[in-house]
Amino acid sequence: MAHEGGGPSASSMVVLVSLLLMAAASPAAGNFYQDFDLTWGGNDRAKIFSGGQLLSLSLDRVSGSGFRSKKEYLFGRIDMQLKLVAGNSAGTVTAYYLSSQGPTHDEIDFEFLGNLSGDPYILHTNVFTQGKGNREQQFYLWFDPTRNFHTYSVIWKPQHIIFLVDNIPIRVFKNGESIGVPFPKSQPMKIYSSLWNADDWATRGGLIKTDWSKAPFTAYYRKFQATACTWSTGSSSCEIGRPASYSGSTWKINELDAYGRRRLRWVQKYFMIYDYCSDGKRFPQGIPAECKRSRF
């Protein structure tokens, strides 16, 4: 936070220096300069540090900020470590997602809904197919996502999409084309992230507004990794559904084994706070078709 005179405060400098040191000590991963473009918010809000190993997004009363990947992907695994806005983050949303373009776009969403100091973040997930979403599941996390970096991952295969937090599966969306449910499998997607003000809905349905005296709000990113099929000029970098860098055995590891299914059930039993499949009032004509079969 800026102090009077416009320079950074001592506390913000300590945070930044500690983050730079952690990034410098981390194993090499993707490089934000090479892999992403800062798309909005200006250079004072979206920044890349430490030789491309650390990125930050900030939100103030004037604007939020965002970035997107240079490459498009069609199937694979995407990993990113995030450290979310600390303190009173009510009204803010940190979005991290994959999306194609156009009115019939596909999209795979992580959104982190801020809250008052001491209250938990809500992790909001969604899957859009052919422009239609309404497949929300929401979770509390079993840790404070503002104290340290944590890894948020998507495994996207022709058979299913798996959402993971620190390599623990929290959600599976299976390919339901056999029962008439569209599945994202033909539109390549870019990776996007943004930090923006959504105090009309994000925290307790909009009852809690953003406290701009706490601005700027800042989230940090590191250790991006894409083990995925890249897409360029109408062709994929790998065979259908398996990145060329994966051996057959490595690719199969991304199936949920018995332990993974137990972890998934643990998360959904103790930390899920909303599931569209259980919201009968929302679907008076009957729950969506994909909800009628096992999702494990």
Side-chain angles (χ1 to χ4, degrees):
M1 185 181 299
H3 59 71
E4 188 174 1
S9 66
S11 60
S12 64
M13 285 299 293
V14 169
V15 170
L16 179 56
V17 169
S18 64
L19 289 169
L20 291 173
L21 289 173
M22 285 191 291
S26 302
N31 186 288
F32 285 109
Y33 285 121
Q34 297 174 3
D35 296 326
F36 292 91
D37 292 317
L38 304 179
T39 50
W40 64 286
N43 292 334
D44 55 336
R45 297 184 185 87
K47 301 176 184 179
I48 298 175
F49 304 98
S50 192
Q53 297 304 304
L54 184 69
L55 184 151
S56 68
L57 294 181
S58 291
L59 163 70
D60 57 33
R61 188 183 288 273
V62 175
S63 177
S65 52
F67 64 87
R68 73 169 173 236
S69 63
K70 296 178 185 290
K71 295 178 180 178
E72 292 182 302
Y73 302 94
L74 186 64
F75 304 126
R77 176 170 178 145
I78 305 296
D79 299 286
M80 185 83 80
Q81 289 196 354
L82 280 74
K83 185 173 184 286
L84 299 179
V85 174
N88 183 358
S89 58
T92 71
V93 172
T94 306
Y96 157 56
Y97 60 101
L98 291 88
S99 182
S100 60
Q101 299 297 306
T104 58
H105 75 290
D106 296 331
E107 190 171 320
I108 304 168
D109 285 349
F110 281 103
E111 289 188 317
F112 302 91
L113 312 185
N115 215 329
L116 296 170
S117 298
D119 290 341
Y121 263 82
I122 292 174
L123 171 53
H124 175 101
T125 66
N126 205 350
V127 176
F128 285 74
T129 58
Q130 299 180 9
K132 179 181 180 296
N134 299 325
R135 300 184 178 98
E136 301 92 345
Q137 289 184 354
Q138 294 183 338
F139 306 85
Y140 287 142
L141 295 167
W142 48 95
F143 52 83
D144 181 349
T146 73
R147 291 180 61 87
N148 296 295
F149 283 93
H150 292 270
T151 304
Y152 304 91
S153 309
V154 169
I155 295 173
W156 174 26
K157 298 175 62 178
Q159 297 84 9
H160 56 227
I161 295 164
I162 305 175
F163 296 76
L164 303 101
V165 176
D166 289 339
N167 215 36
I168 296 174
I170 65 167
R171 177 177 185 176
V172 176
F173 182 79
K174 292 184 178 181
N175 186 326
E177 290 178 302
S178 62
I179 56 173
V181 179
F183 186 84
K185 68 173 189 178
S186 59
Q187 298 187 60
M189 302 194 218
K190 289 190 174 185
I191 302 162
Y192 296 82
S193 190
S194 58
L195 175 55
W196 50 291
N197 179 45
D199 66 3
D200 57 334
W201 66 271
T203 306
R204 300 185 190 174
L207 293 176
I208 308 298
K209 300 300 182 183
T210 302
D211 181 356
W212 292 110
S213 72
K214 306 298 184 185
F217 304 97
T218 304
Y220 296 91
Y221 302 74
R222 72 177 188 184
K223 291 189 178 180
F224 163 71
Q225 185 170 345
T227 310
C229 308
T230 57
W231 184 268
S232 178
T233 61
S235 62
S236 174
S237 65
C238 54
E239 61 187 276
I240 293 298
R242 192 176 82 189
S245 57
Y246 275 26
S247 67
S249 59
T250 303
W251 188 236
K252 290 177 182 177
I253 287 172
N254 289 316
E255 300 284 354
L256 287 185
D257 57 12
Y259 176 75
R261 290 191 295 272
R262 288 197 300 271
R263 299 298 277 170
L264 175 64
R265 292 189 179 98
W266 173 75
V267 171
Q268 297 205 342
K269 179 177 180 180
Y270 293 107
F271 298 97
M272 179 185 285
I273 59 171
Y274 178 80
D275 180 6
Y276 75 108
C277 285
S278 301
D279 193 346
K281 292 181 179 179
R282 185 175 173 188
F283 302 103
Q285 304 304 316
I287 61 173
E290 68 267 22
C291 299
K292 298 175 184 177
R293 64 179 190 174
S294 170
R295 291 178 287 157
F296 297 100

